[in-house]
Amino acid sequence: MSNAAISESASRRRQGELGQFLTPAPVADFMASLFGLLPNVVRLLDAGAGAGALTAAFVSRLCEKSDGVRAIEATLYELDPFIQAALSETMQDCQRICAEAGIRFSFAIHATDFIQEMSALLENSLFATKPPAFDVAIVNPPYRKIGADSAERRNLRQVGVETSNLYTGFVALIQRLLAPGGQIVGITPRSFCNGPYFRSFREDFLNNLEIHRLHVFESRGAAFREDSVLQENIIFHAVKGRKQPRQLVISSSSGEHGDIVAEKAIPFAEIVHKHDAEKFIHIPSASGHAAAKKTMHGLHSTLTSLGVSVSTGRVVDFRLKDALRWKPEKGTVPLLYPCHFNGGTVHWPMPEARKPNAILNNDETRPWLVRAGVYLLTKRFTSKEERRRLVACIFDPEAVESEWLGFENHLNYFHSDGHGLDRRLAVGLFAFLNSTVVDQYFRRFSGHTQVNATDLRTLTYPDRKTLQAIGTEMKSLDLSQDEIDGLVEKHLHAH
Ligand SMILES: C[S@@+](CC[C@H](N)C(=O)[O-])C[C@H]1O[C@@H](n2cnc3c(N)ncnc32)[C@H](O)[C@@H]1O
């Protein structure tokens, strides 16, 4: 039975409960191609095996090049009774192909709960039966949130795994079952790389698995187009051990069949930053980064040559505490914080915000204020969840009327010698700074989420004419990322 037929026959709801999304054959084959040197006898684990697509891909790769492997002993876990027949059929096919290639293939299918069974084995390992050990694990684990009181959570907790999703639970257990030097290739959502709830999982993963390769899909959903799973997926190849390699391969593709894989070697220190307590796994997209570098190096203007300056907001709120007001009142002027950013524009006042909306306009505060005008603002600190590192918005004096303004210290503002900017230029800069090209370029050199005025000064920019042309064509500030990118690209290539 084909993957497509199986996914049609199983109801969507059931698929959701079991976290069942079958790996398309080209992706499975790519995953199988990532393993390094193998022992003569390969003890293989396929947890959440579905119809066996991953084991099948591993077997057919190995049979093509054999590499001295004499035997494969496959262990498969699959809970869904409706897919068991397809799974044993696939295993029999594997046996046949292996026999033709002179490789002994044996398999054991466990129609049981992998989490429950392995947690119990690992927990009791000191007293009773030893858990099995594996040289190779190939896995597309089920994805589903597991509640704090669920049986899965309790099982995992018994072996020291604290995690809120099935997929990280699977990977954490597999890691424990690998023999030293054992390898895992997995495809999972990308959320564990920087999700705030995955910190302890990341720590466990990075302390016990050496990452050799990370592969990302350029467009969302590409890997599972048939199931329209809009998860961002990642494929990793890691080896059980405690010494991360100095560098690893980052690659990307669209997930479509026959598509070209772009790869790049990146120092491990750029992927996981040494002093990052959160242990985020940063994954630059190989092709996007190379293209962004090329584009940015083709630009020759600087902020100075454009007659534009960038400064950090001058109102340091705790120093001017007495002058701050929650709501605008007589004698005050608008005070802007990043919380006033609203899409591409400023939304002010925000009475529900936890920041003051106004500042007194008097002799004491005036040195820290600016005259009204069109300004481009960027956040100095973006949250980890934010899609882009650079988040820019336009301050429009027509939307917020006032002769003076205060920009708070958590934002940077672009100005012309302390005054507002030409509107078209400001909007052009807005589009440019919000574009994916700049974001990707920026991520190349900045590992953290902070954007300093100096960073913005060191960027190269399109010339004034190009920026103004972008600004003229941009009729709304509320464009989608694709629309912004399209507009910027069009003008960068035209000039
Ligand atoms: C994302 S699918 C992947 C299937 C297959 N490995 C593939 O790549 O095509 C995950 C599989 O895990 C199975 N599964 C879910 N929870 C499980 C559990 N606790 N123990 C064993 N299998 C489970 C589901 O039925 C599903 O077939």
Side-chain angles (χ1 to χ4, degrees), residues 18-23 46-54 77-80 83 112-115 140-143 166 170:
L18 286 168
Q20 193 167 73
F21 298 102
L22 305 179
T23 314
D46 186 344
L54 297 179
Y77 276 83
E78 176 50 58
L79 205 49
D80 183 3
I83 212 166
T112 46
D113 186 323
F114 177 71
I115 300 260
N140 171 3
Y143 323 150
L166 265 187
F170 264 62

Side-chain angles (χ1 to χ4, degrees), residues 215-285:
H215 181 89
V216 292
F217 296 97
E218 302 276 29
S219 56
R220 274 163 176 268
F224 293 105
R225 201 173 288 290
E226 279 170 28
D227 284 303
S228 65
V229 176
L230 291 178
Q231 300 262 16
E232 259 197 73
N233 297 287
I234 181 169
I235 291 174
F236 57 86
H237 170 222
V239 175
K240 175 92 171 228
R242 297 185 152 270
K243 199 164 180 293
Q244 295 295 348
R246 215 178 56 74
Q247 55 176 27
L248 59 132
V249 178
I250 302 290
S251 57
S252 62
S253 69
S254 73
E256 304 285 346
H257 188 49
D259 133 48
I260 293 163
V261 176
E263 21 178 289
K264 197 171 186 326
I266 308 257
F268 182 81
E270 280 181 33
I271 306 291
V272 181
H273 305 139
K274 206 167 163 199
H275 300 295
D276 179 9
E278 288 293 322
K279 294 275 172 264
F280 284 136
I281 301 174
H282 300 261
I283 310 161
S285 128

Side-chain angles (χ1 to χ4, degrees), residues 16-310:
E17 277 166 16
L18 286 168
Q20 193 167 73
F21 298 102
L22 305 179
T23 314
V27 177
D29 179 55
F30 173 72
M31 289 171 67
S33 76
L34 298 179
F35 287 99
L37 222 57
L38 297 168
N40 295 342
V41 178
V42 175
R43 293 164 296 174
L44 169 78
L45 172 64
D46 186 344
L54 297 179
T55 295
F58 178 81
V59 163
S60 64
R61 276 263 161 188
L62 207 67
C63 289
E64 268 170 34
K65 55 176 183 103
S66 104
D67 270 358
V69 171
R70 284 187 284 109
I72 301 172
E73 297 167 0
T75 302
L76 303 104
Y77 276 83
E78 176 50 58
L79 205 49
D80 183 3
F82 295 103
I83 212 166
Q84 297 287 334
L87 179 56
S88 17
E89 212 177 290
T90 312
M91 289 310 105
Q92 276 148 27
D93 285 347
C94 288
Q95 213 154 30
R96 202 174 28 76
I97 305 168
C98 279
E100 282 164 18
I103 297 174
R104 187 167 51 78
F105 181 86
S106 56
F107 66 91
I109 298 177
H110 301 259
T112 46
D113 186 323
F114 177 71
I115 300 260
Q116 201 181 356
E117 199 158 310
M118 286 307 173
S119 306
L121 275 179
L122 285 162
E123 196 202 1
N124 293 330
S125 63
L126 288 179
F127 320 105
T129 25
K130 282 241 174 298
F134 298 96
D135 309 296
V136 158
I138 186 160
V139 65
N140 171 3
Y143 323 150
R144 183 166 53 77
K145 281 223 167 75
I146 42 179
D149 305 323
S150 62
E152 288 98 340
R153 245 338 229 282
R154 282 199 302 274
N155 288 330
L156 288 165
R157 208 169 280 146
Q158 284 163 7
V159 287
V161 178
E162 195 58 66
T163 193
S164 55
N165 203 300
L166 265 187
Y167 86 83
T168 36
F170 264 62
V171 174
L173 290 180
I174 294 170
Q175 178 269 106
R176 286 162 173 71
L177 296 168
L178 285 179
Q183 307 176 49
I184 174 171
V185 171
I187 181 164
T188 68
R190 222 175 136 158
S191 49
F192 79 86
C193 294
N194 56 6
Y197 305 116
F198 294 104
R199 205 191 78 89
S200 82
F201 170 76
R202 278 193 294 275
E203 203 153 5
D204 187 50
F205 185 98
L206 293 166
N207 282 340
N208 297 289
L209 290 171
E210 300 164 359
I211 310 180
H212 284 219
R213 154 92 93 156
L214 295 171
H215 181 89
V216 292
F217 296 97
E218 302 276 29
S219 56
R220 274 163 176 268
F224 293 105
R225 201 173 288 290
E226 279 170 28
D227 284 303
S228 65
V229 176
L230 291 178
Q231 300 262 16
E232 259 197 73
N233 297 287
I234 181 169
I235 291 174
F236 57 86
H237 170 222
V239 175
K240 175 92 171 228
R242 297 185 152 270
K243 199 164 180 293
Q244 295 295 348
R246 215 178 56 74
Q247 55 176 27
L248 59 132
V249 178
I250 302 290
S251 57
S252 62
S253 69
S254 73
E256 304 285 346
H257 188 49
D259 133 48
I260 293 163
V261 176
E263 21 178 289
K264 197 171 186 326
I266 308 257
F268 182 81
E270 280 181 33
I271 306 291
V272 181
H273 305 139
K274 206 167 163 199
H275 300 295
D276 179 9
E278 288 293 322
K279 294 275 172 264
F280 284 136
I281 301 174
H282 300 261
I283 310 161
S285 128
S287 63
H289 279 245
K293 183 176 169 194
K294 195 160 167 248
T295 306
M296 293 299 281
H297 287 190
L299 302 175
H300 300 295
S301 296
T302 60
L303 280 185
T304 318
S305 73
L306 291 167
V308 175
S309 307
V310 58

Side-chain angles (χ1 to χ4, degrees), residues 210-433:
E210 300 164 359
I211 310 180
H212 284 219
R213 154 92 93 156
L214 295 171
H215 181 89
V216 292
F217 296 97
E218 302 276 29
S219 56
R220 274 163 176 268
F224 293 105
R225 201 173 288 290
E226 279 170 28
D227 284 303
S228 65
V229 176
L230 291 178
Q231 300 262 16
E232 259 197 73
N233 297 287
I234 181 169
I235 291 174
F236 57 86
H237 170 222
V239 175
K240 175 92 171 228
R242 297 185 152 270
K243 199 164 180 293
Q244 295 295 348
R246 215 178 56 74
Q247 55 176 27
L248 59 132
V249 178
I250 302 290
S251 57
S252 62
S253 69
S254 73
E256 304 285 346
H257 188 49
D259 133 48
I260 293 163
V261 176
E263 21 178 289
K264 197 171 186 326
I266 308 257
F268 182 81
E270 280 181 33
I271 306 291
V272 181
H273 305 139
K274 206 167 163 199
H275 300 295
D276 179 9
E278 288 293 322
K279 294 275 172 264
F280 284 136
I281 301 174
H282 300 261
I283 310 161
S285 128
S287 63
H289 279 245
K293 183 176 169 194
K294 195 160 167 248
T295 306
M296 293 299 281
H297 287 190
L299 302 175
H300 300 295
S301 296
T302 60
L303 280 185
T304 318
S305 73
L306 291 167
V308 175
S309 307
V310 58
S311 307
T312 300
R314 302 171 72 183
V315 177
V316 179
D317 56 6
F318 60 85
R319 288 203 196 122
L320 292 166
K321 235 186 209 138
D322 294 342
L324 307 184
R325 296 291 179 272
W326 290 103
K327 289 186 189 146
E329 60 186 56
K330 202 168 164 346
T332 67
V333 298
L335 175 60
L336 298 173
Y337 282 83
C339 68
H340 293 107
F341 282 39
N342 183 31
T345 51
V346 160
H347 179 84
W348 182 93
M350 292 261 290
E352 67 282 12
R354 276 183 295 172
K355 297 287 178 197
N357 279 287
I359 182 167
L360 288 178
N361 176 11
N362 58 28
D363 290 346
E364 187 209 355
T365 60
R366 188 87 38 74
W368 314 112
L369 304 180
V370 298
R371 277 202 181 272
V374 177
Y375 291 95
L376 177 71
L377 312 177
T378 62
K379 289 189 186 179
R380 283 183 63 204
F381 305 92
T382 46
S383 71
K384 317 249 161 42
E385 287 74 30
E386 214 132 22
R387 243 193 94 177
R388 285 191 319 259
R389 207 53 73 71
L390 259 167
V391 179
C393 91
I394 293 276
F395 176 83
D396 183 346
E398 281 171 22
V400 180
E401 270 179 50
S402 172
E403 201 187 333
W404 293 89
L405 302 166
F407 291 138
E408 197 274 335
N409 195 249
H410 284 78
L411 47 83
N412 292 314
Y413 66 106
F414 288 70
H415 55 94
S416 171
D417 216 4
H419 297 272
L421 300 168
D422 164 67
R423 183 181 297 271
R424 286 183 309 153
L425 180 71
V427 176
L429 278 169
F430 164 85
F432 177 68
L433 289 176

Side-chain angles (χ1 to χ4, degrees), residues 428-459:
L429 278 169
F430 164 85
F432 177 68
L433 289 176
N434 278 329
S435 72
T436 302
V437 164
V438 172
D439 185 59
Q440 286 186 326
Y441 184 73
F442 198 79
R443 281 170 197 267
R444 286 173 60 89
F445 65 85
S446 166
H448 46 71
T449 51
Q450 194 171 331
V451 181
N452 296 317
T454 332
D455 298 329
L456 297 165
R457 277 183 214 117
T458 54
L459 287 179

